[in-house]
Amino acid sequence: MDQELYSKERSASLDLLLRFQRLLVSKLYPADCVSQVPNTYSPDLLGVGSLLKKYIALLCTHISDILPVATSIACTSHRHFAEVSCVVDGDLTGILLPELVVSIVLLLSKNAGLMQEAGAIPLLAGLLEHLDRFNHLAPGKERDDNEDLAWPGIMGSFFTGPSCRNNEEVTLIRKADLENHNKDGGFWTVIDGKVYDIKDFQTQSLTGSSIL
């Protein structure tokens, strides 16, 4: 019922686009009862994949036009950022894009070959720079980034407050410890003298381990 109420607040055209997007995803989602030879796809399925690529291309073009303007306004002040965020949240960027990204990840986990055939991923990757530039304007961004990247005991900036740990308790990781950890299948890396665990990112990255 909440979804239906929210749907009434959207424009008819935006609601239609969302339904169309979901229809494309549902057509590409493999049914458990259907057995298919790997890397062979029906013309209908390839046609839906091609249509999804065209849809994403149009959506990305719109978002690429909107986000730079939003960023230029949002950088004025935190109040401007909050106002612009509300506008973006009700636009295609805030309604269609989040669900589309989740759907693409789901389709990749189910049928990576078909998604590579469709060629939709590079189009979405082109939005990363615009999204990153806008998100960097968010109040508290630096704190959130530090919390996401911090290895326990390594980020000195966290230990400056009265309730923080004493510097004597900071964990020091030797080079030998790091090498042994990585030999056992881990993925620690050192950036500016601090140790980061990027194992989870390695499994999600489309660039491969060599670049990391």
Side-chain angles (χ1 to χ4, degrees):
M1 290 175 63
D2 291 340
Q3 288 295 327
E4 287 301 318
L5 180 63
Y6 180 64
S7 177
K8 291 177 181 177
E9 296 175 357
R10 293 192 299 258
S11 67
S13 58
L14 190 55
D15 194 59
L16 183 63
L17 281 173
L18 183 58
R19 291 172 184 270
F20 176 70
Q21 177 176 297
R22 290 173 177 173
L23 179 63
L24 288 176
V25 172
S26 67
K27 292 294 184 182
L28 290 171
Y29 192 82
D32 294 335
C33 59
V34 177
S35 59
Q36 189 170 349
V37 180
N39 298 324
T40 59
Y41 309 106
S42 68
D44 289 345
L45 207 56
L46 291 174
V48 176
S50 176
L51 192 57
L52 177 66
K53 181 179 180 180
K54 292 177 181 177
Y55 168 80
I56 292 177
L58 291 172
L59 182 63
C60 289
T61 299
H62 170 80
I63 296 174
S64 297
D65 291 339
I66 291 293
L67 278 181
V69 178
T71 302
S72 65
I73 299 173
C75 68
T76 307
S77 68
H78 289 170
R79 185 178 65 83
H80 283 79
F81 179 85
E83 293 291 339
V84 170
S85 295
C86 290
V87 175
V88 170
D89 195 44
D91 182 63
L92 304 183
T93 309
I95 294 176
L96 300 181
L97 184 62
E99 186 174 311
L100 178 63
V101 171
V102 173
S103 300
I104 293 297
V105 172
L106 180 63
L107 290 172
L108 271 171
S109 68
K110 291 293 184 179
N111 200 335
L114 177 60
M115 294 311 297
Q116 289 177 353
E117 284 279 342
I121 306 300
L123 295 173
L124 288 172
L127 294 177
L128 291 177
E129 186 177 346
H130 295 299
L131 290 167
D132 192 53
R133 193 175 292 120
F134 182 79
N135 288 333
H136 268 68
L137 299 175
K141 182 271 305 178
E142 292 182 1
R143 182 193 68 244
D144 293 340
D145 279 356
N146 287 338
E147 289 176 355
D148 289 340
L149 294 174
W151 180 255
I154 296 300
M155 292 290 287
S157 61
F158 280 92
F159 311 128
T160 55
S163 62
C164 295
R165 293 187 293 174
N166 189 286
N167 285 336
E168 294 178 356
E169 298 176 359
V170 173
T171 303
L172 297 178
I173 298 177
R174 299 172 303 168
K175 183 179 179 182
D177 296 333
L178 184 141
E179 291 174 349
N180 290 333
H181 178 82
N182 288 350
K183 285 179 182 177
D184 293 335
F187 206 152
W188 287 355
T189 188
V190 180
I191 303 172
D192 293 335
K194 301 181 181 84
V195 178
Y196 300 94
D197 186 353
I198 58 173
K199 180 68 177 179
D200 291 341
F201 183 74
Q202 178 193 16
T203 60
Q204 302 169 12
S205 174
L206 299 176
T207 60
S209 298
S210 59
I211 295 179
L212 290 178

